[in-house]
Amino acid sequence: MQLKPLFTFLTSLTKHNDRAWFQERKPTYDQLRKQFEEDAEFWFQELQKLDPALAGPLGRKSIFRIYRDVRFSNNKDPYKTHFSAYFTASGKDIETPGYYVQVGPNGNTLIGGGRYMPDKDQLAAIRQEIDYNAADLKAIIAAPDFQRYFRGMSGDKLKKSPAAYSVDHPEIELLKHKSFVASHPMSDADVLSHADFRAYVPEVFAAMVPFCQFLRSAV
């Protein structure tokens, strides 16, 4: 993937987010999209080596469309200003724990994963797993490689303790989470400074394999 041309295109799209501008430059988009698809195939193949449960569809099936769903949004811009993909054991299933990569200018690049905003049943299952096996999760989060890229588990949290757990539960701060994610944001300069960004992505993914496996075992 040629990062500078991608950033140039997406920066211009940010300023001209309309169908007429996009259609005139569709061949450029198609070329950049093809490059991203090739990288997604590579990332998926590398992930399969790291996490054997990922035996689903080809990597290109994990790429999100650039077209935004504006039906319920105040922002009516028709196009996203980043490229992204999500890899799970069952294809691009955002309802299961997985690995996420997003590439875009203006600080919109990140590598991460986990489970964002699980439904009620999954949330209860993850909290139960933390209640039973918090030591395992804490060891995963404290691992040097995980700390190197993520520094800890992030995601929205409740202000108060969940109804099913006492406020003095020893792991209450972990149990307050509504999302269970790890994120490695990157500045534009950081992204562009990598001689081989394609190889860097699975390097970061490798550090979060135990984290995703913990969440997947819970749900």
Side-chain angles (χ1 to χ4, degrees), residues 177-193:
H177 276 267
K178 297 187 291 182
S179 288
F180 305 84
V181 298
S183 181
H184 177 63
M186 301 178 67
S187 67
D188 294 3
D190 192 12
V191 175
L192 296 173
S193 70

Side-chain angles (χ1 to χ4, degrees), residues 123 127 158-167 172-177:
L123 181 58
R127 284 177 173 159
L158 295 170
K159 293 183 179 179
K160 298 181 179 180
S161 60
Y165 298 94
S166 169
V167 66
I172 195 61
E173 291 306 314
L174 290 175
L175 293 167
K176 285 181 180 179
H177 276 267

Side-chain angles (χ1 to χ4, degrees), residues 3 18 21 71 82 84 108 145 215:
L3 289 169
D18 62 76
W21 185 94
R71 290 174 298 172
H82 60 260
S84 58
N108 284 318
D145 282 350
L215 295 173

